[in-house]
Amino acid sequence: MEFQNVIYGTKIEKKFKGFCLDIEELRIPKGFATALIGENGAGKTTLLNILSGIRLNYHGKIQYFDEQVENVEKVKDRLGYTSPGSFFLPQWTIPQIGKISSLLFDNFDRDKYQELCRDLAISTKGIKKTVNSLSDGNRMKLTLATVFARDTECLLMDEPASPLDPLMRDKLCGMIREYIEEGNGANSALFSTHNITDMENVIDYAIIMEHGKIAEQGFVEDLKEKYILVKGNTEDVAAAKQHMYSFSESSYGFEGICLAKDLDKLAGLDISREVPSLFQISVAVMKMSSVLR
Amino acid sequence: MRILQNSGVPIYQQIYEQLKSDILAGKMRQGEYLPSIRSLAKDLKISVITTMKAYEQLEKEGLVTAVQGKGFYVNAQDSEMLREQHLRKVEDCLSEAIAAARVAGMTEEELIVTLETLIQVMPEE
Amino acid sequence: MRQLFKCYMAFTGNLYRILCLLICPAIIILVYGVIRWKIGENMAYGFSITCSFLLVEVIGNYLLSGGIASKQTEKLFYLKSSAKGEEILRNAMVADILRRFFYFVLELLLAVVISEILPENGRGSAFGKDGGISVFLGLLFAGYFYGTIGIMATRLFDSFRVAISVLGFLFFLASINCRFLYLNTPSYSIAVVYLLLSIVASICSIYIVTRRFLGVPR
């Protein structure tokens, strides 16, 4: 499938003690919602910090938007970054954050910010609450309010769903969809997530990371054609196992992911074929990357 | 349009089929634009890539045409083309039936009798 | 200028503003105005007004996060995500420096004004006589320098123990300084030395915080 890149990176490298981020080629498609999937420590936060200009010491080349701007400082205004960790000073109040945001970003809309704070029900007891008195969930909602109150072209969100309750997660998915729709192809979103299932309905493109490298990536619909969920009987285990990508056995039979191109090798066996969920694909890919490493 | 999340039929397939039947039934006029892939995704609460795949499939079959920057509009479904499509479907189904008949060991006469019986029995729509 | 103070306001909380920027300075001005009126200006006066100023600035800054403690710059991902983040932070620091300087000017000056205004004056008003201005400037630049050093130290180490220890050391320096200011023949050399030190310290303090801000995250 042909697509333009909103972010294109090559040879992105960052070494830490005991961990190394090493990405040959990074393509984030424009106009879609991309998910960074991986275990803790796979490198998702590091990558997002590099892309958003938070972390400046790394190797590699990154280009933003059509004009292929390379200096992230020039485009920070068009990027919307959120993080569930350190973000605001603890003593800031909600209205104060509104003032600071106007100083930091030209495209910050104060009215929209206040409207979002009300919509998301960030604080119920008056508006003078400070950041450190908010719960994790409310703090994340506040972060989201500041980023959605701006006119951006690419969201870079680090675990936006983690601190949120299910109702709010659903609302977040709706907000992302609306953001993508408003841009009509110009707006893109990149977010890392552990809750694949919760976000699955909004993910267009998935990048599965393992130990600092990209293990698999692609449009969700393409991945669902590449990987097939296969279930079969115990007596066929020996025959099936060698052709399967991932495999697990139980007293009721076996189940696993088979690559579509290998499916004919299972012909003749009594198997059922299903379209796997993104969650199942991700788990299989992550497992296989760990094994092969 | 109604999409079933857990029916086992891929969502893009459901969208494709429902839109296709709408178009062929004439519920959408020639030149009319389908909803944008993103607004449809938003309304149905699914990913954009899913609607995109459904639309691309419709385009492959000649039911719609893509216009850069504007979206997908419905192609002229003239009765000639419609008829041709249905004729093709009849041929496909009959070929399948003949193959199955051979496997079952039916003779040509038995097959024709079965066909005539079914025509009489099936109600007109 | 307005921009500088807008940024400064962004970083300071209400409690800090009321306590350290309003109430305490007012108390210092009134108390020392009266002391100077009653007893006149001498080494003890210079020493204690400097120490009071330092107490409010360093401890107030540390406890109420009025300035920007070093640990906090690590948390400012929101600022880092903006191209203007560094500029805003720097503006706030510069505003803080200017504010601190002028506050000490104000405190020293108004204390003198009060002591001159109140009736029955005449008690050893050092200001206006020979040596008055050199003493004033000597106190001013020295006090400002100590304040800047004190705050730099608390930003670097971010611990109450360090804040108190540094404060104690600064009091010690202030006492030596006052001995020279008040008991020797008036000269501007002390004021000049501290003026230079103040300029260097101010630049360093801003530099340290912005470096931390840019270089940090893991």
Side-chain angles (χ1 to χ4, degrees), chain C residues 41-117:
Chain C
E41 176 146 355
N42 58 17
M43 190 163 69
Y45 171 85
F47 174 69
S48 27
I49 194 174
T50 303
C51 291
S52 305
F53 169 73
L54 287 178
L55 199 66
V56 172
E57 288 292 332
V58 176
I59 300 299
N61 174 73
Y62 179 77
L63 285 180
L64 300 178
S65 309
I68 295 122
S70 70
K71 271 219 178 114
Q72 294 184 335
T73 42
E74 290 177 16
K75 292 195 171 129
L76 296 174
F77 274 21
Y78 192 33
L79 259 69
K80 294 195 76 156
S81 73
S82 156
K84 290 189 187 167
E86 190 197 339
E87 185 192 324
I88 302 285
L89 186 63
R90 206 175 342 113
N91 285 348
M93 312 245 67
V94 170
D96 191 35
I97 280 180
L98 292 173
R99 194 245 357 126
R100 189 169 312 115
F101 182 75
F102 283 110
Y103 259 56
F104 201 32
V105 169
L106 225 60
E107 285 167 17
L108 288 175
L109 216 52
L110 290 181
V112 169
V113 165
I114 287 180
S115 69
E116 298 288 321
I117 287 179

Side-chain angles (χ1 to χ4, degrees), chain A residues 14 16 46 49-50 52-58, chain C residues 216-218:
Chain A
K14 172 71 197 149
F16 295 100
T46 309
N49 284 353
I50 289 175
S52 57
I54 305 269
R55 170 175 285 285
L56 300 168
N57 51 342
Y58 65 93
Chain C
V216 168
R218 262 174 292 107

Side-chain angles (χ1 to χ4, degrees), chain B:
Chain B
M1 173 146 359
R2 184 177 303 172
I3 301 299
L4 298 172
Q5 297 273 358
N6 301 315
S7 71
V9 180
I11 296 177
Y12 80 85
Q13 183 85 7
Q14 295 179 43
I15 298 175
Y16 158 78
E17 279 168 8
Q18 289 182 41
L19 279 176
K20 176 173 176 178
S21 61
D22 281 353
I23 292 173
L24 291 179
K27 284 197 196 145
M28 300 194 72
R29 292 186 312 279
Q30 174 205 345
E32 191 177 327
Y33 273 90
L34 296 176
S36 83
I37 51 174
R38 290 181 175 87
S39 64
L40 184 63
K42 184 178 103 164
D43 291 334
L44 293 177
K45 297 200 178 162
I46 54 178
S47 343
V48 172
I49 196 68
T50 311
T51 56
M52 194 165 167
K53 184 157 180 169
Y55 281 24
E56 283 180 351
Q57 191 136 333
L58 289 169
E59 191 193 16
K60 236 189 265 178
E61 298 211 354
L63 288 160
V64 298
T65 306
V67 176
Q68 176 80 308
K70 287 193 85 181
F72 294 77
Y73 70 83
V74 178
N75 282 340
Q77 305 298 320
D78 56 75
S79 43
E80 186 58 47
M81 194 166 96
L82 263 174
R83 190 161 185 276
E84 223 184 273
Q85 277 201 339
H86 285 131
L87 278 176
R88 229 179 294 139
K89 194 156 186 202
V90 170
E91 277 180 30
D92 291 339
C93 293
L94 284 177
S95 307
E96 241 185 274
I98 294 171
R102 287 205 181 127
V103 169
M106 276 172 96
T107 65
E108 199 177 308
E109 292 77 30
E110 281 176 315
L111 185 55
I112 294 176
V113 165
T114 313
L115 178 60
E116 285 173 343
T117 318
L118 280 172
I119 291 173
Q120 288 196 342
V121 168
M122 267 188 79
E124 295 268 1
E125 275 179 32

